[in-house]
Amino acid sequence: PAEVGRRLGAAGLALWERATGAGRRPLDLVRLPVDFAAGWTYEPPVESLEPLLFRLQRHAECLAAELRAAGLVAAALTLTLTLEDATAHARDYPLAEAGTEPDIWLKVMLSHLEGLHLPARLAAAHLRAQAVRPQSRQDGLFDSGLRDPLAFGENLSRLTALLGADRVGTPVPVDTWQPDRFILEPPARVVPAATPPPVHAPLGGVLRRFRPPRPVEVEWTRGRPVHVHGAVAGPVMDHRGPWRVSGGWWGPETWAVETWHVALATGVFQLARGTDGWVIEGEID
């Protein structure tokens, strides 16, 4: 082999090892992706919830057993219902805590299925589990987790079924200057420790918003408010403002808001004018 290496280099040595059977080439094993899903059909199509729950429980138990055998857990479920008219209704069910408990899965899906009204009979169904590896993390010293994540997830699913997915969650401010804009995100599983108070106290009062804002009418004299009529009424004894902000001119949703702080006999309020006219947004303490 030394002579072969001098004449032909590394490529020659590799050929010599293959010819003599001295080289080893370990196999590079590739695991095929596994889809943890189950599907079934109904012949004839069904109209009630009981046949669906019966088959759903059996297939959920099978999927849970397959996940446990693979050392995985389910983080979310997807249920697709195919109707007799070839249309489909799909719904994702995120789990409060990833696991392999089919009873918990059924409770999460049942809160949605009990209030579901389909336009046609059910012809087929498909259940899929989003498989992830079990999380192993150490809890923080000052973090407080949920006492019962499963019960919390079940109650959250019921609220979502009653109110809608866009009305349940934790409010998070939107990156915009438009006042009182926020979105709802799923609640965190672990509540972080409270942030310490700032070194310097914030200036000004605290705005306690009215939900919804209270519509009013405003009298003006020489460009300033002098009297407010409506749910909050009275002469304006003092005022600050206006503060004007606007945005969205680059898109279809253009907005502009003019804000005043007015002092009435009953307190200090925030007065704002938008597309719907004048409203009292809240009281300043």
Side-chain angles (χ1 to χ4, degrees):
E3 298 296 333
V4 174
R6 292 192 192 98
R7 293 194 303 268
L8 302 179
L13 282 177
L15 292 173
W16 183 86
E17 290 179 354
R18 291 179 60 183
T20 57
R24 293 185 178 182
R25 185 173 62 88
L27 297 178
D28 186 10
L29 299 180
V30 177
R31 293 184 178 272
L32 298 178
V34 181
D35 188 18
F36 295 91
W40 61 96
T41 59
Y42 292 97
E43 186 63 37
V46 297
E47 299 179 355
S48 60
L49 184 60
E50 287 76 12
L52 174 61
L53 293 179
F54 177 74
R55 299 286 295 273
L56 193 61
Q57 181 175 5
R58 291 178 54 189
H59 289 286
E61 292 174 353
C62 294
L63 289 180
E66 294 178 3
L67 287 170
R68 286 192 292 267
L72 302 173
V73 293
L77 303 171
T78 301
L79 179 62
T80 304
L81 303 178
T82 304
L83 306 183
E84 190 179 15
D85 57 358
T87 61
H89 174 80
R91 177 65 182 269
D92 295 330
Y93 302 92
L95 301 177
E97 185 176 17
T100 56
E101 295 80 10
D103 294 337
I104 302 299
W105 299 356
L106 291 176
K107 289 181 180 180
V108 172
M109 290 184 287
L110 183 60
S111 60
H112 166 248
L113 294 175
E114 285 180 340
L116 182 63
H117 298 281
L118 300 175
R121 295 188 300 174
L122 180 62
H126 184 271
L127 178 64
R128 182 180 181 274
Q130 180 183 346
V132 296
R133 293 192 177 277
Q135 293 184 355
S136 57
R137 74 174 187 89
Q138 184 177 2
D139 294 335
L141 184 60
F142 300 102
D143 292 347
S144 57
L146 299 173
R147 292 184 177 180
D148 192 347
L150 300 179
F152 176 77
E154 182 181 354
N155 293 332
L156 193 64
S157 299
R158 292 179 178 178
L159 289 175
T160 303
L162 291 174
L163 305 177
D166 57 340
R167 297 186 177 183
V168 178
T170 302
V172 177
V174 181
D175 187 14
T176 178
W177 287 102
Q178 187 173 3
D180 201 28
R181 284 296 305 273
F182 61 90
I183 58 175
L184 293 178
E185 293 184 351
R189 300 179 184 178
V190 176
V191 180
T195 56
V199 178
H200 303 286
L203 300 178
V206 177
L207 175 63
R208 304 187 182 278
R209 287 188 174 272
F210 298 148
R211 305 288 186 184
R214 301 174 183 178
V216 293
E217 294 182 359
V218 183
E219 293 184 13
W220 295 82
T221 299
R222 296 179 181 178
R224 68 179 187 88
V226 296
H227 205 286
V228 178
H229 301 275
V232 177
V236 177
M237 298 181 293
D238 197 3
H239 67 277
R240 295 290 184 273
W243 297 280
R244 298 184 177 95
V245 291
S246 62
W249 47 266
W250 53 87
E253 298 182 359
T254 304
W255 59 270
V257 179
E258 177 182 344
T259 305
W260 293 75
H261 288 175
V262 294
L264 309 181
T266 55
V268 180
F269 301 90
Q270 179 164 305
L271 185 68
R273 178 173 62 177
T275 56
D276 298 330
W278 287 100
V279 295
I280 292 290
E281 292 188 325
E283 185 174 4
I284 302 175
D285 293 341

